[in-house]
Amino acid sequence: MSGHASPEGARAGAEAQQRAAVAVPAPAWVPACPGAGKTQVITERHLSAPVQPLRQGRALISFTRVARDQMARRCRLAGRADLVQAPHFIGTLDSFLWEFLVRPLRPAQPAPRLLESWAGVKAPVQGLDRELGLHRFPLTVDPSVKPARERVAWDDLDRDTRIALDGSECSRSTWQRKILETRNSWCKQGYYTGHETRLLALWALRDPLASGQVLPPLLSRFAEVVVDEAQDCSAADLAILKRLHEAGLPLVLVGDPDQSIYAWRGADPQALHAFTARLGPAPLRLTGNWRSSPVICRLAATLRAGNRAPDVSVQQHEAIPVLLLPTRFAATGSRHQHALTGTGIVEAFRGLAQDYGIPPDDCLVTAYRYATLPGITRERPNANAITSLAWAHTVTHTPGAPPSDLTRACAVAVRALFGYWFPDETGGPDRICATHRLPLSQVNRTAFAFLHSLPTPNKDWGSQVWQAMKVWPPLPGAAPNGTRGRLAGRPTIARPTPASGIRTNTIHQLKGDEADGVLLLLPEPGSVRRWATGDPTTDETLRVWYVAVTRARRLAALAVPEDEADSLQSLLIGRHVPIRVV
């Protein structure tokens, strides 16, 4: 497909590529550009299955529940509810590994349970000079050795955890030993997260006896396994897929290595390239972009490896130039100013977007780091318990809060109350509810009412929450014990949502999102030099920026330090990207 194809030719070429991807026999590798319609292609491939009952089915695997639900919903809307039932499977990679490689080998008692993270249970690392939640320590595994070796990913600790450890008298090795001991004790109680699932799946595929138990049912059930967003696969994921491929399970991988932005989870574009080269025929590329305008496609091409031609814009034909906003960045996102007008950068972007007929509710402001964003109210990863509860309180008092945030806020409140009411019970909330025969609906109503009754978070909020806990009517079976379960410390108070109506989110949370107008904040000095000279193959930051700009449908805007605006303008003009400094 040519970057200068006519609208009719662009559409015809993109549709031909999609049809080829729907029909390509497994095993296969399908690199897909942003906006290529990957989910549609995968779903159409699944819909091609005959209606009559099959002995074998197809597994559609994604990395997010959103993508999983979208694929299942499309099948139902097409009148093919049979495609979301056995022998087929639609789910996340975690749930696939758990269902077919891990749970069949786990003891029936205690009942095995897959957690989204250790934050789902009260799992403190105890016995050292301070107590920290197990969920604050990301674990990584090296699958290249046997048995696979795991360790704490010290470089990926959040700032608060790093500060807490810097004040500890215990060595990193002591902490790691205690962390793994704590984790192992929870596994003995039947609790596992995605990390343990991968570790156990690797073992199951490498151990002759275990693989003899799990592989025959898997090979008998599935004629094909399709992996969406394959660029997000970690080294452990690829090691598992390699074993499944070698065992004869037909694989189809779909993804975009240019959007590989999860190095902290072990994702590596070069490792993915090495694996997909094993899948046989030449890659079947999807280069038709159904989301973004030709200008945005041209901008994105400057941020990816290989000096490849821009992807072909299929249905957006406007020529709105990239907007370049010289900016005076402040230490906090709420004070960034547009250098030419002195107004807040979000308000400046809002006005510019409206000039092109783009309303605020179809605009998105994004940045690499949480702290750069103005007015964000999202839950901070690995926050301490009192800060998580403060975030949950803010959500319950935010009009129009997303249902997913309200659900999460309620879960945070349940965990806080159960930590006080059931201090001697180590199981998660679900197990405590089962032990005391507590209906989940009653628990959630109680927790939500407690959360909503709390005062606005402030510097003395911890003691106010404690007093509220002590007087709140407990659920049946509650057995408080002194000050156990008290939430210590001061909360980091979530800032209110800005009145601009514009969404804000970090780039890593934008996978699958899009908007007519997108503003990318680039506050770090030297960003333009990095853009000009960096190699996206090895520089994940450039790939992160690539993900950000490719969320835009009609308008992409870049906010850079005012003394770097001229350099970026020259760079983009030299690469034939229409640009306007405003």
Side-chain angles (χ1 to χ4, degrees):
M1 294 171 62
S2 167
H4 302 284
S6 67
E8 297 78 10
R11 177 178 289 270
E15 290 175 344
Q17 288 182 343
Q18 289 184 335
R19 288 193 298 270
V22 167
V24 64
W29 162 227
V30 183
C33 74
K38 293 189 289 77
T39 303
Q40 178 180 336
V41 166
I42 293 171
T43 307
E44 287 297 324
R45 186 180 182 93
H46 197 34
L47 289 170
S48 67
V51 176
Q52 66 266 25
L54 299 175
R55 188 180 70 82
Q56 285 189 302
R58 176 184 284 111
L60 306 186
I61 298 175
S62 66
F63 279 84
T64 67
R65 294 177 179 176
V66 172
R68 173 202 66 186
D69 295 344
Q70 185 179 4
M71 290 187 288
R73 184 168 56 252
R74 289 192 180 192
C75 289
R76 292 190 179 98
L77 290 175
R80 295 296 306 276
D82 60 296
L83 294 179
V84 301
Q85 302 167 359
H88 306 291
F89 174 89
I90 300 178
T92 63
L93 180 60
D94 282 7
S95 62
F96 178 82
L97 299 178
W98 175 258
E99 186 72 23
F100 301 107
L101 296 177
V102 176
R103 191 168 66 173
L105 300 174
R106 296 299 94 204
Q109 294 296 330
R113 167 80 186 275
L114 176 62
L115 301 173
E116 188 172 334
S117 83
W118 289 116
V121 294
K122 184 176 64 176
V125 179
Q126 300 172 317
L128 300 179
D129 58 356
R130 60 201 60 209
E131 182 177 302
L132 296 171
L134 181 59
H135 68 281
R136 299 175 70 170
F137 298 97
L139 297 175
T140 186
V141 59
D142 180 2
S144 65
V145 297
K146 299 180 183 180
R149 183 182 305 128
E150 57 179 338
R151 63 177 181 81
V152 176
W154 299 110
D155 293 340
D156 297 328
L157 297 181
D158 64 88
R159 178 176 177 273
D160 291 343
T161 304
R162 192 175 294 113
I163 291 173
L165 288 182
D166 286 344
S168 172
E169 295 182 357
C170 300
S171 66
R172 288 288 192 269
S173 60
T174 300
W175 271 101
Q176 177 160 293
R177 184 171 62 254
K178 183 60 68 173
I179 290 163
L180 293 177
E181 287 176 0
T182 302
R183 189 280 310 276
N184 292 342
S185 71
W186 278 92
C187 290
K188 289 179 180 178
Q189 297 177 55
Y191 289 93
Y192 306 87
T193 71
H195 171 80
E196 290 73 39
T197 297
R198 284 158 173 77
L199 201 66
L200 291 169
L202 276 171
W203 169 80
L205 292 172
R206 288 174 173 176
D207 180 83
L209 183 60
S211 63
Q213 292 180 258
V214 296
L215 276 177
L218 192 64
L219 295 173
S220 175
R221 175 165 175 173
F222 296 113
E224 179 177 285
V225 172
V226 183
V227 181
D228 188 20
E229 302 288 3
Q231 75 277 355
D232 294 339
C233 287
S234 67
D237 297 336
L238 292 176
I240 292 168
L241 292 176
K242 176 176 177 289
R243 300 289 293 191
L244 293 177
H245 173 65
E246 292 171 346
L249 187 64
L251 301 178
V252 177
L253 270 61
V254 185
D256 182 4
D258 295 313
Q259 295 188 66
S260 179
I261 62 171
Y262 294 107
W264 60 273
R265 284 199 320 221
D268 182 352
Q270 297 179 14
L272 176 64
H273 175 75
F275 175 70
T276 55
R278 299 170 173 264
L279 297 183
L284 199 164
R285 295 188 178 276
L286 300 178
T287 60
N289 187 324
W290 297 77
R291 176 191 300 148
S292 301
S293 72
V295 171
I296 295 168
C297 288
R298 189 167 290 278
L299 172 68
T302 69
L303 282 167
R304 67 184 185 190
N307 196 29
R308 306 195 310 273
D311 298 317
V312 178
S313 179
V314 178
Q315 60 184 17
Q316 294 285 352
H317 306 302
E318 288 181 282
I320 301 176
V322 174
L323 301 185
L324 183 56
L325 282 65
T327 304
R328 299 188 186 110
F329 286 100
T332 60
S334 58
R335 299 191 180 96
H336 302 327
Q337 289 187 338
H338 184 214
L340 301 184
T341 64
T343 59
I345 195 62
V346 173
E347 287 304 312
F349 174 59
R350 172 180 173 152
L352 291 165
Q354 288 180 320
D355 289 344
Y356 290 105
I358 302 175
D361 61 1
D362 209 354
C363 289
L364 177 64
V365 177
T366 188
Y368 192 108
R369 302 184 188 283
Y370 178 95
T372 303
L373 288 170
I376 195 167
T377 59
R378 308 210 177 264
E379 185 182 18
R380 295 179 61 188
N382 296 331
N384 58 30
I386 194 70
T387 292
S388 289
L389 194 66
W391 167 83
H393 179 276
T394 300
V395 168
T396 62
H397 289 79
T398 300
S404 58
D405 282 358
L406 290 169
T407 300
R408 174 65 185 156
C410 191
V412 169
V414 169
R415 194 165 66 245
L417 284 173
F418 276 22
Y420 171 60
W421 284 339
F422 306 100
D424 298 315
E425 299 190 37
T426 57
D430 59 329
R431 194 164 289 176
I432 293 174
C433 287
T435 300
H436 296 277
R437 298 182 179 180
L438 299 173
L440 186 59
S441 58
Q442 178 189 5
V443 170
N444 286 335
R445 285 195 301 270
T446 299
F448 192 87
F450 169 77
L451 182 61
H452 200 272
S453 73
L454 295 174
T456 301
N458 57 79
K459 66 178 182 179
D460 298 318
W461 200 57
S463 61
Q464 294 169 356
V465 169
W466 175 238
Q467 295 303 318
M469 279 184 170
K470 291 194 293 184
V471 301
W472 196 263
L475 291 172
N481 184 358
T483 60
R484 293 179 62 183
R486 179 172 183 173
L487 305 184
R490 292 183 177 181
T492 300
I493 301 171
R495 292 168 279 167
T497 301
S500 66
I502 293 177
R503 290 179 291 142
T504 59
N505 213 337
T506 58
I507 299 170
H508 283 86
Q509 299 299 319
L510 288 183
K511 282 296 190 70
D513 203 352
E514 59 185 64
D516 268 4
V518 173
L519 170 63
L520 170 60
L521 305 178
L522 297 173
E524 292 81 7
S527 293
V528 177
R529 186 183 315 110
R530 188 172 204 157
W531 195 318
T533 63
D535 179 5
T537 302
T538 56
D539 189 342
E540 187 185 57
T541 297
L542 296 178
R543 301 196 297 271
V544 170
W545 297 349
Y546 175 84
V547 167
V549 300
T550 57
R551 301 308 94 191
R553 291 189 288 259
R554 299 172 54 203
L555 169 66
L558 307 168
V560 298
E562 56 182 326
D563 59 348
E564 297 194 20
D566 290 344
S567 298
L568 184 54
Q569 180 184 20
S570 298
L571 168 66
L572 295 180
I573 289 175
R575 300 194 182 181
H576 310 292
V577 178
I579 192 162
R580 174 187 169 203
V581 180
V582 289

